[in-house]
Amino acid sequence: MPPIYSSTRRKVLLAGLAALSLAACDKPGAPAPKADTPQAKFNAVDITGANYARKLSLTDYNGKPRQLADFKGKVLFVFFGFTQCPDVCPTTMAELAEVRKRLGADGERLQGVFVSVDPERDTPEVLKAYLQNMDPSFVGLRGSLAQTEATAQEFKVFYQKVPTKNGSYTMDHTAGAFVFDPEGQVRLFVRYGMKVEDLTADIRQLLAQAKH
């Protein structure tokens, strides 16, 4: 299985696993698909009907308040990370940009959202420059420390500040992403390391379902 967290500090990662309760679809306690919807087969973890990841209320890098309802009509990809992340975060967002390209015209119906778990360093200016360098359509969200914690709890996302030898710090955090359908319902949990072609296929499927 691909690593779930972005840091190499094993003891913190193992502690984080206990805090993260995202269940795979073949394990007890996983959310069941809606009874009135034919069960689709996805490459990512199907969390249709989950009782978490239902609220998101933060401010974007332009100072505009944003909520999940703002993105209805599009497939929404929500990732929690930080701009000084050396590997997982830039890789994930770069791969999402590639998915948008592969979708062609339908790429306009895929919205990437980056939620900062490090609002102390991820100022609006930093977030904007970081994301627009990858894809101008990406939206960066941030909040106060309390708002960040509340949002992470709503999504069952783990994150933790880890001191570094130079007196600074890095962040351990859940490295997966959440995908919402055009109706605003959370549908998938995408593990880090998923192939771009597999993610593209899942997004195409959600877009196709919205057309019917």
Side-chain angles (χ1 to χ4, degrees):
M1 180 184 296
I4 298 179
Y5 302 101
S6 63
S7 172
T8 57
R9 297 185 57 149
R10 299 293 300 173
K11 62 181 181 180
V12 177
L13 307 192
L14 292 174
L17 285 171
L20 183 66
S21 58
L22 290 168
C25 56
D26 58 347
K27 293 182 180 179
K34 295 178 181 179
D36 59 348
T37 304
Q39 186 167 4
K41 293 183 179 179
F42 295 102
N43 298 298
V45 180
D46 190 339
I47 58 171
T48 301
N51 61 357
Y52 51 90
R54 295 180 295 184
K55 298 177 182 179
L56 179 63
S57 182
L58 294 169
T59 304
D60 69 19
Y61 51 58
N62 291 319
K64 180 180 180 180
R66 296 283 194 143
Q67 298 181 348
L68 285 175
D70 297 338
F71 305 103
K72 275 194 174 183
K74 294 185 176 183
V75 168
L76 180 65
F77 183 99
V78 178
F79 177 79
F80 288 73
F82 65 114
T83 62
Q84 295 194 37
C85 172
D87 40 40
V88 172
C89 303
T91 298
T92 298
M93 300 311 291
E95 289 177 346
L96 183 62
E98 176 61 24
V99 171
R100 291 189 78 245
K101 292 178 182 178
R102 294 191 181 197
L103 288 171
D106 278 343
E108 296 299 318
R109 300 173 61 208
L110 171 60
Q111 179 64 60
V113 170
F114 183 97
V115 180
S116 175
V117 296
D118 186 17
E120 293 174 280
R121 295 184 298 191
D122 289 345
T123 64
E125 295 77 15
V126 168
L127 265 180
K128 185 173 185 177
Y130 178 79
L131 293 172
Q132 290 201 336
N133 186 53
M134 297 179 182
D135 189 307
S137 74
F138 289 166
V139 172
L141 301 181
R142 65 186 300 279
S144 65
L145 293 177
Q147 289 172 323
T148 302
E149 181 179 358
T151 303
Q153 289 178 353
E154 169 63 23
F155 278 72
K156 297 188 181 293
V157 164
F158 166 82
Y159 71 98
Q160 181 170 309
K161 185 182 291 188
V162 180
T164 56
K165 293 180 180 179
N166 64 1
S168 184
Y169 65 90
T170 186
M171 302 293 294
D172 282 343
H173 64 95
T174 303
F178 300 82
V179 177
F180 294 74
D181 65 24
E183 295 300 316
Q185 301 301 312
V186 67
R187 300 294 301 277
L188 305 174
F189 178 73
V190 181
R191 294 188 177 99
Y192 175 64
M194 184 174 175
K195 294 180 180 179
V196 170
E197 53 265 34
D198 290 342
L199 177 57
T200 303
D202 283 356
I203 301 299
R204 285 191 190 278
Q205 190 172 178
L206 289 175
L207 290 172
Q209 289 177 3
K211 293 178 181 179
H212 298 295

